[in-house]
Amino acid sequence: MSIVVVGTVAFDTVETPFGRGENVLGGSATYFSTSASFFTDVSLVAVVGEDFPDEHVSFLQGRNIDTAGLQRIPGKTFHWSGRYGYDLNEAQTLDTQLNVLMDFQPELPESYRDAEYLFLANIDPDLQMQVLEQVRKPKLVACDTMNFWISSKPEALKKVLQKVDIVVINEGEARQFTGEANLVKAARQIIALGCKRLVVKRGEYGVLMFTADTVFAAPAYPLEEVFDPTGAGDTFAGGFMGYLANTGDLTEEGIRQAIIFGSVMASFNVEDFSLNRMKRLEYKEIQARFSNFKALTSFRDVSL
Ligand code: AMP
């Protein structure tokens, strides 16, 4: 089954203690679709400006991503600048230039409108809603967001959160959105808005997944070399949704398995800047890391 994703395709300028990348390829939809493309067909809805090089579009197409919904309009591509300190869990945004995002009117190609899986990646919640309204009968809709939209468009964002099945969000953003310091209570509040499931991304501490009556925890893969956490959240979401679309298994067990594939994909992405690690990633590496993940979290039950 294929996934439609709307989000940003961006130039990022990123500084970490291990290096700096200037105007490198980034964006929530870029990371998401690249990661999901290892599991399923992906159709991209996004906007870039006249300054966006063809080579980046060719990279996405080379991963078999449908770019019919990628508009190129006059102006400059969305640009995000951020910095990470030695605590790589939290990005500090230095600058956000919305540029062409301000004039973007997403118009889904007819072939996208019957998509069964829809991911509303981090972008203006009004744009997320416009895309949601154009997909006829999705089987599963999930969304992400970030502090920038929580502060600037809280009401529009709340409307989106009320219409999706799964919310995927950072720990800090779950706290910011609800004004609740305790994560379990924050999760309850977000679920009470109407979604069935909340996936909280916690950087190097892994992921917590909440439903109204269950909690599932997965660690992050313990890595010796982490160079750039940019895109880890979107890459996680791409692996998670990609695996779900591939199997169609929306049982609790199937969704837990998808959490691990998301975590595997994110663990590769942080090993290099921009999408460099994803560009050289091979299936056999994904399989091997999945097995290591299983070993990492497997233990015997007690017989009392
Ligand atoms: P993450 O997976 O959370 O690390 O997301 C990183 C990506 O989000 C970067 O490649 C940025 O281009 C993109 N980004 C940063 N700020 C925004 C924003 N306000 N809206 C949408 N995308 C953004």
Side-chain angles (χ1 to χ4, degrees), residues 34-284:
T34 302
S35 176
S37 71
F38 282 85
F39 301 92
T40 193
D41 294 335
V42 187
S43 303
L44 176 65
V45 182
V47 66
V48 292
E50 290 150 325
D51 55 354
F52 196 72
D54 288 338
E55 123 202 19
H56 291 333
V57 180
S58 304
F59 158 67
L60 295 169
Q61 290 169 342
R63 289 236 38 95
N64 221 5
I65 295 163
D66 186 344
T67 56
L70 177 67
Q71 294 179 27
R72 187 187 287 272
I73 64 174
K76 284 168 124 183
T77 300
F78 174 85
H79 183 264
W80 176 74
S81 305
R83 181 163 55 206
Y84 297 85
Y86 277 97
D87 173 2
L88 293 164
N89 281 326
E90 194 105 23
Q92 185 194 348
T93 293
L94 301 175
D95 188 33
T96 303
Q97 305 269 337
L98 296 175
N99 298 332
V100 288
L101 211 59
M102 291 202 284
D103 301 315
F104 182 35
Q105 295 293 326
E107 183 64 35
L108 267 57
E110 184 50 38
S111 58
Y112 284 32
R113 294 182 188 228
D114 286 320
E116 290 197 332
Y117 294 83
L118 174 61
F119 190 70
L120 309 170
N122 180 23
I123 197 169
D124 183 331
D126 285 325
L127 296 172
Q128 291 179 318
M129 188 60 94
Q130 282 177 37
V131 170
L132 179 56
E133 283 167 352
Q134 292 177 55
V135 177
R136 291 189 185 101
K137 219 169 159 248
K139 186 168 151 189
L140 185 77
V141 183
C143 81
D144 190 0
T145 192
M146 75 181 282
N147 47 16
F148 186 88
W149 305 112
I150 296 174
S151 329
S152 61
K153 293 201 165 182
E155 285 312 313
L157 179 60
K158 197 167 167 195
K159 284 190 190 133
V160 172
L161 298 189
Q162 285 167 335
K163 292 213 164 218
V164 304
D165 303 300
I166 305 182
V167 175
V168 182
I169 194 172
N170 281 350
E171 175 174 19
E173 282 143 11
R175 293 198 170 99
Q176 184 195 357
F177 180 72
T178 56
E180 172 58 65
N182 180 286
L183 207 51
V184 181
K185 288 184 183 159
R188 301 256 167 274
Q189 280 192 33
I190 296 174
I191 288 175
L193 288 175
C195 65
K196 294 183 199 79
R197 234 168 242 283
L198 175 70
V199 178
V200 182
K201 298 171 285 180
R202 306 179 63 225
E204 67 178 315
Y205 305 112
V207 169
L208 284 174
M209 176 167 67
F210 296 90
T211 66
D213 46 22
T214 62
V215 187
F216 174 67
Y221 192 73
L223 291 167
E224 233 172 275
E225 313 265 29
V226 178
F227 284 103
D228 176 14
T230 312
D234 308 306
T235 305
F236 165 83
F240 173 68
M241 288 288 283
Y243 182 79
L244 288 178
N246 175 296
T247 60
D249 181 359
L250 301 182
T251 61
E252 179 67 27
E253 232 183 21
I255 296 175
R256 289 183 179 199
Q257 189 99 348
I259 290 277
I260 303 301
F261 272 103
S263 306
V264 165
M265 297 307 282
S267 77
F268 284 115
N269 189 61
V270 301
E271 289 179 342
D272 204 341
F273 278 88
S274 182
L275 286 105
N276 296 343
R277 183 66 177 98
M278 301 309 278
K279 287 185 180 176
R280 53 174 201 273
L281 183 62
E282 293 180 22
Y283 280 103
K284 59 177 194 283

